[in-house]
Amino acid sequence: MSDSSRDTAEGAGWGTPEPGAYQELMPHRVEKLSWLNPKTLWPARNGVLASWFGDPTGRTRGRWVEQRLAAGAPADALIRRDDPDDFSFMVIGDTGEGDAPQYAVVPGFLKISQDTRFAVLASDVVYPVGSADDYGTKFYRPYKDYQAPVYAIPGNHDWYEDLQGFMRAFCDAPPLAPQAAPRRLSRAWLRALLWHTPGTQDEQRLAEARQSRTAPAQQAVQPGPYWAIDAGPVRIIGIDTGLLGTLDAEQGRWLREVSRGDRPKILITGTPLYVDAEYDPCPIEGGGTVDDIVRDPGHHYVAAIGGDIHNYQRYPVRVDGRTIQYVVAGGGGAFMHATHTIPPVTVAGVTEKDFRCYPLRGDSLAFYSRLYGRRLRLRRFFTLTEAQATAVIAKRLGIRATRDWGEPAPITLRTRLVAALLGAGRRPGHGSRLRLPVRKTYTQLFSPGSATYSPPFFKCFLRLDVTPASIRLRCFSATGNRKQELDPPVEDEVIIPLR
């Protein structure tokens, strides 16, 4: 097994190793998606409009579900499979940018997934707005050699065109019929004036893209944007959290119903319940939260895996004498969200001793220092070595360095200033009152916006090996380097008991 980022800097992808073969899989011409470009941001405006004028996704989702029921989809949205008691499946989140960071994941993903029964895409299948015309390069082409079905739950970006592309690709659903215009001068009318609506889908283009995944073993049609899968001894439940990370009342009722019983369950959600050392239980319209359902001992949830945030995090939370693994798994292809902004973890009884993340905070800070050194043409000032970044993170957070460098690098005024400018977290009592706004502003405004086109990318994906007694969950990394393609490192591993 190759070194991971917890073992060596080379295992993290630093240095000048041999580039990976992922570039051979990419189209000759790749659109470089940048979230700093107004042409990208403007079509993705529906989330902001929903927060200002009311969120219409619950109503639209209900129309999609009604359409699928009329077409013969099961009323319980349950996918009944014939998997054995011992089987494996993959989870990968936030994939679809269609550029180097997405394709860099593919070789390792294909190697690790060779004997798996299916894969689940957890949030944001296609950026920037979920257009059906983008599915060729951002879904069908990269996963054409994965010889098993792929199920998916939508993320907020898949909703920016009212889920039209997602429903066409995964549910084989035709577009919804137009709705009547809202009452003039109402909030819905104001929202509709600015709402980004789907363009006309190029059916021939989509049909040609689908030719990449036509093998019988690859075929699956899911019942709708949310579903449950009975596979071997477990039930896997995927929920659709829409534009704003919430559930409509009807989906909430369905979730409570499919969660009943002693069968062990895994939740797959578009928005994680624990992330960046904070708790977001996901409200349900009409009352209650998704996490209320997950924590109910009568429902027997053992894990809740969420996308949306583009890195890996794991929080083992003790609930009524048992442990539920709350996982963030959104590192499948989009630009990297920083981990160095995460403060010392003290949430729901989880501490730094229990918490895991990838990339490591020091690698995250080193990555961002190089990025902004290039972007601002201040390389000599901003750029930190991995050793410098690791040392200053350990000092600021009051934690032990994850990777052993021997003699720690000296912490200078420059390294402290760069860490502060790049939003590195701090331990409580050391500027903690400023920590939260600084971290949120940094995450929202200063993420790299897909501005990275060379390794290391710090991408990741999950493999879950299921038996009647336990689930073995492993997080594998994808750096974009040849060595990690041939032997993907395990960045985290946990055994989840089912009995």
Side-chain angles (χ1 to χ4, degrees), residues 371-391:
L371 172 68
Y372 278 93
R374 293 193 303 268
R375 182 175 289 177
L376 301 176
R377 299 185 180 181
L378 293 171
R379 284 185 173 87
R380 292 186 64 183
F381 172 74
F382 263 101
T383 302
L384 303 180
T385 67
E386 306 87 73
Q388 289 170 333
T390 297

Side-chain angles (χ1 to χ4, degrees), residues 154-179:
N156 58 312
H157 288 271
D158 300 305
W159 267 101
Y160 288 155
E161 287 200 349
D162 294 340
L163 220 60
Q164 297 268 28
F166 181 96
M167 294 298 295
R168 191 75 183 94
F170 291 101
C171 305
D172 201 21
L176 292 174
Q179 281 190 298

Side-chain angles (χ1 to χ4, degrees), residues 3-5 8-14 358 477 479 484 489 491:
D3 287 343
S4 74
S5 70
T8 64
E10 292 75 18
W14 296 115
Y358 176 80
S477 67
T479 66
Q484 283 85 35
E491 292 293 338

Side-chain angles (χ1 to χ4, degrees), residues 249-325:
E250 180 56 37
Q251 188 180 180
R253 284 190 289 271
W254 169 85
L255 178 60
R256 292 183 178 95
E257 183 65 31
V258 297
S259 296
R260 290 177 181 154
D262 291 336
R263 189 173 191 151
K265 298 174 186 70
I266 301 168
L267 182 73
I268 309 289
T269 170
T271 50
L273 304 180
Y274 285 90
V275 61
D276 294 349
E278 296 178 4
Y279 178 48
D280 183 2
C282 187
I284 299 173
E285 181 186 16
T289 69
V290 168
D291 200 39
D292 291 339
I293 298 172
V294 170
R295 287 170 172 260
D296 188 323
H299 295 159
H300 200 179
Y301 276 91
V302 297
I305 303 172
D308 188 54
I309 302 301
H310 307 165
N311 53 44
Y312 173 82
Q313 301 173 44
R314 180 169 65 83
Y315 302 81
V317 177
R318 295 287 294 173
V319 179
D320 297 328
R322 59 200 171 94
T323 298
I324 301 175
Q325 299 290 342

Side-chain angles (χ1 to χ4, degrees), residues 203-257:
E203 289 292 336
Q204 181 177 350
R205 183 174 178 177
L206 184 59
E208 291 172 354
R210 280 178 159 169
Q211 294 305 305
S212 299
R213 285 184 53 84
T214 57
Q218 296 174 317
Q219 303 311 301
V221 176
Q222 63 189 54
Y226 56 87
W227 41 259
I229 298 173
D230 278 351
V234 300
R235 174 170 287 184
I236 303 156
I237 299 174
I239 59 173
D240 171 16
T241 55
L243 283 171
L244 301 182
T246 62
L247 260 63
D248 61 282
E250 180 56 37
Q251 188 180 180
R253 284 190 289 271
W254 169 85
L255 178 60
R256 292 183 178 95
E257 183 65 31

Side-chain angles (χ1 to χ4, degrees), residues 274-278 309 311-315 326-330 337-339 342 345 355-358 460 492:
Y274 285 90
V275 61
D276 294 349
E278 296 178 4
I309 302 301
N311 53 44
Y312 173 82
Q313 301 173 44
R314 180 169 65 83
Y315 302 81
Y326 291 86
V327 177
V328 179
H337 278 134
T339 58
I342 302 173
V345 174
F355 172 69
R356 294 290 183 273
C357 70
Y358 176 80
C460 60
D492 186 34

